[in-house]
Amino acid sequence: MRWLTILTLALGGCVVDSSRQSSRPSSNQRPVVIAHYFNWFQTPDGRGGWGNWEWKGKGPNHDPARLLPDGRRDIASVYYPLIGVYDSADPAVIEYHMLTAMAAGIDGFVLDWYGIPSDEEKGFAPLLATAQRLGFKMVICFEDKAMFGYHYHARTREEAVANAIRNLTYILDTHATSPAYLRLDGRPVIVNFSWSEPSASVNDQGFSAAEYQRILSAVRQTHDLYFVHDYHCHLRENYWPVCDNVYPWLDAKGDCLNRFYATAREQLRAGRIGLIASLVFPGFDNTGVWGWGDGPYITPRENGNYYKRSWEQALTNHTQFVQIATWNDFGEGATIEPTREYGFSYLRQTQQFAAQLKGGRSLPGDILEIPLTIYRCRVTLRQQLSAKLSHELDHAVEAFCHGHYHRAAAIAQQVHDETHR
């Protein structure tokens, strides 16, 4: 179906057009796969504390300071990272995550972001810098609720709207100018997440379509952007007319998901959008945080078959913009990051489906483990303080990023051998 328009990771500057309220169909562009990413994990050796690895509330509590009989820490997750419990600010972790994602055919990470004063914002610049060094992409997921609560505590919906205009403008001024920031059709991308049904009350922390019309119109007076709103079965608001595109979130299943894709195809045929956006995910299990105190909710993984069907449905509907939910949301058990339970299996599936989406050949599965060797060497060299070997690892990363996987593996293995003599 080559008549579909497809999108590119363009690096050109913005062209401001404050009158545009809808997407222009794209051409001569290629598909993109991005994964939702969380940079909120902390360890005592990193930023202090056990941020987002612990759970203290209703249901079973989890304290990572406690070691379990199998040697693992007692974290608030049904899955355990292959590299162990980590701090998201660790440069070696960031590099490992991005290189491993690249090996799986993922083009970038989309960071859940909670406003200018947030810790997520404080950690975004290092992510963007590493992405630029590696040839990876970053994009921000804008959270409606953060404009009402969290750091702002809006007293009226007008205050929340003003917060949104200020925060979106800040993202575009501060981050979207980077060549590592994702663009579609030449415009910086911001995706949205909003779970709440909007109303006249400031307590309902989601913006209505009319409020987004005002927000985006104000932002576009000085900036161009490609704004992708989410779609939930339980929300009655229609965001298709005011946003550049819409994608389905996790609760869109069955007939509801079919309705979404039918609407997306209609929008495509009408020239209202230039591509169909979708979301795929491996399953869901928030037992570790006891459903954030409300009791666990589980969507079984079915030994990888749920993820497989999710991808197949997206491809059947000719998607060109795929979001994976998620790379590392351990609290909700919706991870594809390698873990001790399922290893690299979800990334091998991702390799195959991403290649099918992009019309190319899947990379060999064994390259997925090269970043793991590099990461382990980085950690070891913190104690050995060898500038020479650290330099060698930099050469391994450079070779990996240029597709010279055998060379990258050979260098990394040589460093590993020298550090373990």
Side-chain angles (χ1 to χ4, degrees):
M1 308 297 288
R2 289 301 178 189
W3 50 270
L4 279 177
T5 54
I6 53 182
L7 57 100
T8 188
L9 301 176
L11 302 180
C14 295
V15 178
V16 176
D17 180 358
S18 61
S19 66
R20 178 170 58 252
Q21 299 297 328
S22 64
S23 162
R24 295 169 299 182
S26 310
S27 62
N28 300 318
Q29 302 183 355
R30 70 179 182 87
V32 168
V33 179
I34 59 175
H36 279 255
Y37 188 80
F38 300 85
N39 69 340
W40 56 27
F41 297 105
Q42 299 178 13
T43 64
D45 292 339
R47 288 172 290 171
W50 292 106
N52 284 291
W53 292 117
E54 64 182 357
W55 171 250
K56 296 178 180 178
K58 294 181 181 178
N61 283 202
H62 296 278
D63 181 4
R66 185 171 74 92
L67 291 178
L68 300 174
D70 61 2
R72 301 184 187 189
R73 295 191 177 277
D74 181 18
I75 64 172
S77 176
V78 295
Y79 300 109
Y80 202 88
L82 190 60
I83 62 170
V85 180
Y86 56 79
D87 193 297
S88 297
D90 185 342
V93 170
I94 296 172
E95 181 185 78
Y96 160 72
H97 281 163
M98 290 187 180
L99 291 177
T100 308
M102 290 165 65
I106 295 170
D107 299 294
F109 286 149
V110 51
L111 181 77
D112 263 37
W113 189 85
Y114 294 86
I116 299 167
S118 69
D119 287 340
E120 290 74 27
E121 162 58 22
K122 292 180 179 69
F124 191 74
L127 288 167
L128 203 57
T130 304
Q132 184 169 341
R133 173 169 63 88
L134 301 180
F136 199 58
K137 297 293 174 182
M138 290 298 305
V139 62
I140 281 176
C141 178
F142 184 77
E143 292 260 358
D144 282 20
K145 61 188 177 185
M147 301 299 104
F148 291 84
Y150 291 82
H151 303 282
Y152 290 110
H153 310 292
R155 294 165 295 179
T156 65
R157 297 191 71 84
E158 286 300 315
E159 282 189 17
V161 166
N163 289 338
I165 293 169
R166 184 167 64 255
N167 277 262
L168 287 171
T169 301
Y170 171 87
I171 292 168
L172 295 167
D173 278 338
T174 307
H175 300 309
T177 55
S178 168
Y181 196 91
L182 179 68
R183 291 171 180 265
L184 305 184
D185 194 19
R187 294 183 279 158
V189 179
I190 296 176
V191 302
N192 169 257
F193 178 83
S194 177
W195 185 259
S196 299
E197 180 73 39
S199 74
S201 171
V202 72
N203 295 320
D204 294 320
Q205 299 181 341
F207 292 116
S208 68
E211 286 168 330
Y212 259 121
Q213 179 78 32
R214 292 171 52 203
I215 292 166
L216 295 175
S217 294
V219 173
R220 284 179 171 137
Q221 292 298 316
T222 54
H223 296 79
D224 205 359
L225 79 159
Y226 190 101
F227 194 79
V228 191
H229 202 285
D230 58 352
Y231 174 93
H232 299 279
C233 291
H234 65 277
L235 297 184
R236 295 184 296 274
E237 288 274 355
N238 179 14
Y239 294 91
W240 282 103
V242 299
C243 298
D244 293 306
N245 215 322
V246 177
Y247 70 94
W249 192 250
L250 304 187
D251 71 330
K253 301 175 185 175
D255 290 341
C256 182
L257 189 56
N258 291 335
R259 288 198 301 274
F260 165 81
Y261 279 123
T263 303
R265 290 193 297 269
E266 290 173 0
Q267 297 279 326
L268 186 70
R269 284 193 295 268
R272 172 62 178 75
I273 58 175
L275 56 102
I276 293 177
S278 66
L279 183 135
V280 301
F281 69 110
F284 189 94
D285 189 340
N286 60 13
T287 301
V289 293
W290 209 244
W292 306 107
D294 295 327
Y297 179 83
I298 301 171
T299 300
R301 291 188 173 226
E302 302 174 21
N303 197 32
N305 287 322
Y306 194 94
Y307 190 53
K308 179 175 180 286
R309 289 200 305 275
S310 182
W311 263 102
E312 288 174 343
Q313 187 164 25
L315 293 173
T316 298
N317 284 279
H318 310 296
T319 183
Q320 300 296 319
F321 180 59
V322 175
Q323 297 183 75
I324 300 171
T326 67
W327 178 263
N328 64 337
D329 191 350
F330 280 95
E332 297 190 341
T335 56
I336 64 167
E337 176 185 340
T339 68
R340 296 189 185 179
E341 290 78 16
Y342 55 74
F344 291 90
S345 61
Y346 285 93
L347 295 189
R348 292 192 180 97
Q349 280 199 64
T350 305
Q351 279 183 324
Q352 296 166 7
F353 286 117
Q356 186 176 342
L357 174 74
K358 298 173 184 180
R361 296 178 62 183
S362 177
L363 294 171
D366 57 359
I367 74 166
L368 290 165
E369 300 192 32
I370 300 173
L372 179 61
T373 302
I374 294 172
Y375 169 77
R376 288 173 172 165
C377 289
R378 294 277 195 207
V379 172
T380 301
L381 286 172
R382 287 173 182 164
Q383 284 76 44
Q384 298 187 8
L385 300 176
S386 170
K388 175 181 177 297
L389 293 180
S390 293
H391 220 26
E392 288 298 309
L393 283 181
D394 292 341
H395 290 315
V397 170
E398 183 179 4
F400 189 93
C401 293
H402 284 88
H404 305 311
Y405 303 117
H406 291 299
R407 175 168 170 73
I411 296 172
Q413 188 60 49
Q414 181 179 356
V415 173
H416 176 272
D417 292 344
E418 290 195 37
T419 56
H420 290 78
R421 283 176 177 173

